[in-house]
Amino acid sequence: MYNAKAYSVASATSPFASTTIARREPTEHDVQIEILFCGICHSDLHQARNEWSGVMPTVYPCVPGHEIVGRVTKVGSAVTKFKPGDLAAVGCLVDSDGTCPECKAGFEQFCQNFTLTYNFPDKHTGGVTYGGYSESIVVKDHFVVKVPSNLDLAGAAPLLCAGITTYSPMRHWGVAKGKKVGIVGLGGLGHMGVKFAHAFGAHTVVFTTSPGKKDDALRLGADEVVISRNADEMAKHAGSFDFILDAVAADHDINAYINLLRRDGNLTMVGAPENPLAVGVFGLIMGRRSISGSPIGGLAETQEMLDFCGKHNITSDVEVIPIQKVNEAYERLLKSDVKYRFSIDMASLKSE
């Protein structure tokens, strides 16, 4: 074991503070990474404040962070994919059983025995896993992916969650040139959805309640912007979408979007509203439409996504902050006061 600097919370109401955590020494299949940037995901806030206590209670001290980009410093004797000096990344998973049908199919995100990057039982230490708000991390090589060298590393970090969460369902539902795609909500997830839909060649339409977001949506790659509160604008698109990605986490009328789908069209939820959404079944029946949900992707698809981003020079729009401003960032995140993702420059941790 070795000690690493980190930022943690000691309780649901505590601010983040500097601390030291124990990391394992790399075993034969492990990769040790110096963390350069770590994105802040809204789920970090939920976990830090124990807002998912009914499903995933937080164990304190908690070190969040699952949008990790860094440089390899050490590899185990059996590791062949990485060598010291390589750019590497870690997302939401750091282990799975590797033997179940889901793992064998490359869908580690659906394994019943996966290990999350933080706040999950750690079989190596006997405690819980600690995430990317730290100077380094040690992860099994299968769960480490390569970062294209042309990408801005601060903007690449959120690709490990916000990126793959929006890329995966688009790939699954066949988003491509000639398709009409809607993106509901223009936040951390939605802005990545716009970039991917545009890069796939689809006709991309952003739905927002905020007229002030129109110019930004067009800048990000949207072909059209619809103000969702305007019934006439919505009606013009009835029955015309092949695919809609819904990235809204607040309560909203999902039926308004289901009615925009063409025959066999799909709406995929990646936002997670706290309360159940009322779904009008006739909207699904009339047109053989479907509604689904999607989490992150598996490791192979995550690498595919990063390679796609390298080819098309896609990164998240980020505001880079030092680790010392993480408490302020969380308060701003509650107010949606960020375009569109915070990325922590972990070099700032060296001064602690």
Side-chain angles (χ1 to χ4, degrees), residues 98-111:
T99 59
C100 70
E102 302 292 9
C103 286
K104 288 182 175 179
F107 299 125
E108 295 91 348
Q109 73 272 31
F110 299 122
C111 175

Side-chain angles (χ1 to χ4, degrees), residues 28-280:
E28 62 176 352
H29 286 286
D30 284 338
V31 176
Q32 185 181 59
I33 299 168
E34 176 194 4
I35 300 173
L36 301 177
F37 292 94
C38 183
I40 296 178
C41 178
H42 213 287
S43 60
D44 294 347
L45 188 153
H46 291 309
Q47 291 270 234
R49 300 187 174 181
N50 201 24
E51 292 174 357
W52 289 343
S53 57
V55 180
M56 198 183 300
T58 303
V59 178
Y60 296 100
C62 175
V63 179
H66 58 210
E67 298 180 338
I68 300 166
V69 168
R71 195 174 298 280
V72 176
T73 54
K74 192 184 294 186
V75 298
S77 59
V79 175
T80 57
K81 284 196 307 180
F82 297 95
K83 64 183 186 302
D86 286 350
L87 293 175
V90 177
C92 302
L93 302 178
V94 292
D95 206 355
S96 67
D97 62 33
T99 59
C100 70
E102 302 292 9
C103 286
K104 288 182 175 179
F107 299 125
E108 295 91 348
Q109 73 272 31
F110 299 122
C111 175
Q112 295 298 303
N113 300 298
F114 63 43
T115 300
L116 294 179
T117 305
Y118 68 90
N119 194 51
F120 224 71
D122 188 337
K123 66 182 182 183
H124 298 278
T125 66
V128 296
T129 52
Y130 295 130
Y133 298 10
S134 172
E135 63 182 346
S136 70
I137 193 168
V138 178
V139 179
K140 188 177 180 180
D141 57 351
H142 180 76
F143 293 84
V144 181
V145 286
K146 295 184 176 182
V147 180
S149 60
N150 63 304
L151 294 181
D152 170 72
L153 296 184
L159 298 177
L160 278 299
C161 179
I164 188 58
T165 298
T166 50
Y167 179 92
S168 183
M170 289 191 186
R171 285 285 285 150
H172 178 75
W173 291 100
V175 170
K177 188 174 182 180
K179 302 287 187 178
K180 185 176 179 182
V181 171
I183 308 293
V184 185
L186 194 64
L189 289 175
H191 96 286
M192 289 306 310
V194 176
K195 291 188 179 194
F196 284 132
H198 175 75
F200 281 131
H203 182 85
T204 306
V205 181
V206 168
F207 294 92
T208 178
T209 58
S210 308
K213 289 188 175 181
K214 180 175 181 178
D215 288 346
D216 225 26
L218 295 172
R219 174 185 67 82
L220 291 165
D223 297 289
E224 298 180 60
V225 180
V226 173
I227 307 305
S228 54
R229 290 194 176 106
N230 187 319
D232 289 339
E233 284 191 49
M234 293 288 282
K236 289 177 186 175
H237 292 274
S240 65
F241 282 87
D242 297 283
F243 177 79
I244 295 176
L245 187 80
D246 191 328
V248 175
D251 290 343
H252 60 290
D253 180 13
I254 196 171
N255 299 293
Y257 299 102
I258 290 172
N259 291 331
L260 300 183
L261 295 171
R262 67 186 296 274
R263 173 180 52 78
D264 292 328
N266 169 266
L267 183 149
T268 292
M269 295 293 306
V270 290
E274 183 177 354
N275 300 312
L277 299 178
V279 176

Side-chain angles (χ1 to χ4, degrees), residues 7 36 321-324 344-352:
Y7 257 54
L36 301 177
I321 62 165
I323 190 70
Q324 292 80 5
I344 306 170
D345 182 351
M346 299 310 298
S348 58
L349 193 56
K350 296 183 189 301
S351 63
E352 291 290 331

Side-chain angles (χ1 to χ4, degrees), residues 16-32:
F16 278 93
S18 179
T19 189
T20 300
I21 58 173
R23 296 287 196 193
R24 71 178 186 269
E25 291 290 344
T27 62
E28 62 176 352
H29 286 286
D30 284 338
V31 176
Q32 185 181 59

